[in-house]
Amino acid sequence: IAPCGTLEENQKKGLDCCRKAKEMGAVTKYSGTESAEAFTYMAQAGWDVQSMIDGIGGIMSLAASDGIALADATDIVANALTSFGLTANDTARFADVLATNTDVAQLGEAFKYVAPVAGSLGYTIEDVSTALGLMSNNGIKGSMAGTSLKTSLANLAAPPDKMQSVMDKYNISLTDNEGNMKSLGEVMD
């Protein structure tokens, strides 16, 4: 088990979170208690104290932009960032991607399903958001979109024999001629 610091260090970190929760409660529409709950979700996703403090502002902006609960926005962002191998420093970027697309709650629901596969393939949140937006424009939203895109990507990455022959026939591949992964945008083109 890795050491987690001295009691004094942990108390200071706890006080830092408490101060930030109170500060956010004073300057935003969310209470200090709601801010503290958001920190709990971030901690459950494995974020350290500094990451939680750095990320709370972007999460609050996202929640406020779509009128969703702060705890829900925190869960969406923390889990998706982790799946894409991103950090709290990417919170505002991810919040912007979500806010410029379809309904945030539905897009967050879709990311819940597709993010682990898309992240493991090295795709960007922007490309995945674009794909989910196109699906949403055609009536495929939320968990249905996330599940469909996840399944499609998994099948493209490891196609069954029959699918591989069709992919070969139409020159569909996740990699270029040199074996490098294409971006999701290139695959969709």
Side-chain angles (χ1 to χ4, degrees):
I1 297 176
C4 55
T6 66
L7 179 59
E8 185 176 288
E9 289 170 335
N10 288 329
Q11 286 173 333
K12 182 194 177 311
K13 290 175 184 177
L15 285 174
D16 290 344
C17 277
C18 186
R19 280 189 206 105
K20 187 65 172 183
K22 286 179 182 178
E23 173 192 330
M24 298 309 280
V27 299
T28 69
K29 74 178 221 166
Y30 300 102
S31 70
T33 300
E34 288 172 306
S35 299
E37 289 171 355
F39 285 140
T40 300
Y41 280 101
M42 291 180 216
Q44 289 171 345
W47 290 23
D48 62 32
V49 171
Q50 191 58 53
S51 295
M52 293 188 298
I53 290 170
D54 292 343
I56 190 68
I59 291 171
M60 285 184 163
S61 295
L62 175 65
S65 75
D66 202 55
I68 61 175
L70 182 57
D72 293 339
T74 304
D75 197 35
I76 290 167
V77 172
N79 291 332
L81 288 179
T82 301
S83 293
F84 280 97
L86 301 173
T87 67
N89 293 332
D90 298 299
T91 300
R93 172 183 161 210
F94 187 68
D96 287 345
V97 168
L98 288 179
T100 58
N101 209 310
T102 185
D103 175 272
V104 171
Q106 287 184 358
L107 191 58
E109 183 70 13
F111 265 106
K112 191 183 334 179
Y113 293 92
V114 71
V117 173
S120 72
L121 292 171
Y123 293 137
T124 67
I125 57 175
E126 291 84 0
D127 280 349
V128 173
S129 179
T130 298
L132 292 169
L134 291 169
M135 295 173 80
S136 176
N137 292 343
N138 288 286
I140 304 168
K141 301 177 182 185
S143 61
M144 186 184 297
T147 301
S148 297
L149 185 55
K150 172 194 77 168
T151 302
S152 297
L153 293 175
N155 284 335
L156 286 168
D161 291 339
K162 189 172 183 179
M163 184 174 170
Q164 183 65 59
S165 65
V166 173
M167 288 172 61
D168 291 342
K169 179 179 177 181
Y170 292 104
N171 199 27
I172 299 170
S173 176
L174 294 182
T175 58
D176 63 20
N177 293 336
E178 296 164 9
N180 301 313
M181 284 295 291
K182 294 179 185 175
S183 71
L184 185 55
E186 291 172 317
V187 173
M188 291 189 300
D189 287 340

